[in-house]
Amino acid sequence: MYSFNKLPHYNDNRELVGLQILKFICSIFVVQIHTYSIMGKFLLPLCRIAVPIFFIISGYFMVSNKGTISSGKLIKIAIKIIKITIIAYSSYILFDILIRLLINSNLEPYSRASYWMYEFLFKTPVGGHLWYLTSYLHTLLFMYVLMRIKKFHLLFLIIPMGIIINLLIGCYSFIFFEESNPLSLSRNALTIAIPCVAIGVIIRIYEDYLPSQKIIFISLIASIIILYIEHIMIRHYIGDIIIMTLPVAILTFVLFLRSNFVWNKCKYIGLLGKRHSMNIYLWHPMIATIYSYFPIYRHINPGIQTIIVAIITLGISIIASQISLPNKCVKFVRNIISN
């Protein structure tokens, strides 16, 4: 266990509706990144804040009311993420094999050990967006090890180091490299997950030192303007974040965190974020691929693809949560055995 010797501002006995709404918005941002819409190119710089915010939220909720992070909680979170990862990996691998068979593509990559090693470390060959899960698992493992060797404070040194490495091998790689580097070099625990999770932890502990909402809001607007100026200046970069991405992500997170009394009026959107944001993130690429194979796809304005994929994925998630099919299958098997 690591103690910060400071009680956090937030008591987790109450629901933070603002953050649940933010999760839902960020899940739609991720769909926007991976699909096409009329506003896609314009919204892309802003949509890039989604994954950093997901990591920041994870770090924020790691800290207990007593200002501690326990190894038991890290293990509990890891077990949950491992289950999700196994289901997601298996689903996308089977889906990829099916697609390859339909288009008569080669299945040879699955026979190489190097393929599976790369899959676990960087998660890009199948379901590239699932790098989020593996990076989160690596982060939890890293935090657990630091806690066991009593060096947990080193976690916060990774924030500047990881972000600088991300920028220099990602969107600003043109400073040192003639060609762009693979995205897998900047999509990992060291360069994005650990820094953002650590930022979430810091916000949780020192939330009461944050400036007023007015200052946060003005700072956010100014940061978004600078973000777009920076994006225009290096529009040909290849990477997930630019210099202003994380400031905008942090300010957006704090704005939604501190405006909870306002968001209580939108509690139903908060429920969507709480229950379905992860499903939207995980399954929208699969839905988008399936949707592209239907003949109706050619007769619908491609500019609304993001909206259609998001609605279909959300609808399936809601239906699946109501049906509770896995639980019914388990009960069915138990009844057969008992009889």
Side-chain angles (χ1 to χ4, degrees):
M1 179 182 291
Y2 182 82
S3 176
F4 292 90
N5 297 319
K6 187 180 187 309
L7 294 178
H9 178 76
Y10 162 65
N11 185 317
D12 60 11
N13 291 327
R14 59 187 177 88
E15 191 77 27
L16 289 178
V17 179
L19 291 188
Q20 303 299 352
I21 293 173
L22 182 59
K23 286 171 63 177
F24 180 73
I25 293 173
C26 286
S27 68
I28 302 301
F29 278 180
V30 175
V31 178
Q32 172 67 80
I33 293 172
H34 296 143
T35 56
Y36 176 77
S37 75
I38 298 174
M39 299 291 291
K41 290 184 179 181
F42 175 76
L43 291 175
L44 183 60
L46 191 59
C47 290
R48 292 293 187 188
I49 71 173
V51 172
I53 285 177
F54 280 133
F55 284 128
I56 291 172
I57 291 174
S58 298
Y60 183 85
F61 285 111
M62 282 183 184
V63 184
S64 71
N65 288 345
K66 297 180 179 180
T68 61
I69 297 180
S70 66
S71 57
K73 187 166 187 176
L74 294 179
I75 293 173
K76 183 178 179 179
I77 296 172
I79 292 174
K80 178 181 177 181
I81 299 300
I82 287 172
K83 292 178 181 179
I84 296 173
T85 302
I86 291 173
I87 294 173
Y89 268 52
S90 302
S91 299
Y92 273 95
I93 288 173
L94 292 174
F95 183 71
D96 186 63
I97 291 174
L98 177 61
I99 294 297
R100 287 173 179 267
L101 291 174
L102 290 175
I103 62 176
N104 297 319
S105 185
N106 188 10
L107 295 177
E108 185 270 337
Y110 288 103
S111 64
R112 299 197 305 264
S114 59
Y115 174 91
W116 295 105
M117 181 64 71
Y118 196 80
E119 182 79 6
F120 175 73
L121 290 176
F122 301 114
K123 196 65 200 74
T124 53
V126 177
H129 66 298
L130 298 183
W131 69 270
Y132 169 82
L133 295 175
T134 50
S135 295
Y136 191 24
L137 283 174
H138 299 158
T139 300
L140 292 169
L141 176 61
F142 181 71
M143 294 174 70
Y144 180 81
V145 171
L146 288 182
M147 194 171 292
R148 298 295 294 181
I149 64 175
K150 302 185 185 305
K151 299 290 183 180
F152 194 81
H153 62 280
L154 296 179
L155 175 74
F156 306 103
L157 297 179
I158 304 296
I159 297 176
M161 183 179 71
I163 293 171
I164 291 172
I165 292 174
N166 190 315
L167 293 171
L168 293 181
I169 65 178
C171 60
Y172 281 89
S173 61
F174 60 82
I175 297 175
F176 299 104
F177 306 97
E178 294 183 0
E179 297 182 359
S180 299
N181 295 312
L183 282 173
S184 56
L185 293 180
S186 58
R187 288 178 174 176
N188 52 65
L190 174 64
T191 61
I192 190 67
I194 294 175
C196 289
V197 168
I199 288 171
V201 171
I202 292 174
I203 293 174
R204 175 75 190 274
I205 294 298
Y206 299 101
E207 181 183 347
D208 50 338
Y209 292 102
L210 295 173
S212 66
Q213 280 297 83
K214 182 179 179 180
I215 295 176
I216 293 294
F217 180 75
I218 294 173
S219 300
L220 176 59
I221 298 300
S223 297
I224 292 175
I225 293 172
I226 300 173
L227 171 74
Y228 274 88
I229 294 173
E230 182 187 7
H231 175 72
I232 292 171
M233 293 176 63
I234 56 169
R235 65 178 63 187
H236 299 298
Y237 74 88
I238 295 180
D240 289 329
I241 67 171
I242 54 181
I243 293 174
M244 290 305 299
T245 302
L246 286 183
V248 172
I250 293 169
L251 289 169
T252 302
F253 172 82
V254 174
L255 184 69
F256 277 76
L257 171 67
R258 298 279 291 273
S259 300
N260 197 55
F261 65 94
V262 175
W263 300 120
N264 280 330
K265 299 177 181 179
C266 308
K267 60 181 180 180
Y268 293 109
I269 300 178
L271 287 175
L272 293 180
K274 181 178 181 179
R275 298 175 181 176
H276 305 290
S277 58
M278 175 63 82
N279 285 336
I280 293 174
Y281 181 93
L282 291 178
W283 307 115
H284 74 272
M286 186 181 293
I287 300 301
T289 302
I290 295 172
Y291 169 67
S292 66
Y293 278 92
F294 278 85
I296 193 175
Y297 172 76
R298 300 181 181 89
H299 302 286
I300 295 180
N301 187 338
I304 61 172
Q305 182 185 9
T306 296
I307 298 175
I308 292 176
V309 171
I311 291 175
I312 293 175
T313 310
L314 175 61
I316 293 175
S317 177
I318 293 174
I319 293 172
S321 65
Q322 295 298 320
I323 295 177
S324 301
L325 185 60
N327 293 333
K328 289 189 176 183
C329 290
V330 171
K331 291 180 180 179
F332 179 72
V333 173
R334 286 177 178 175
N335 290 334
I336 293 177
I337 295 175
S338 62
N339 293 333

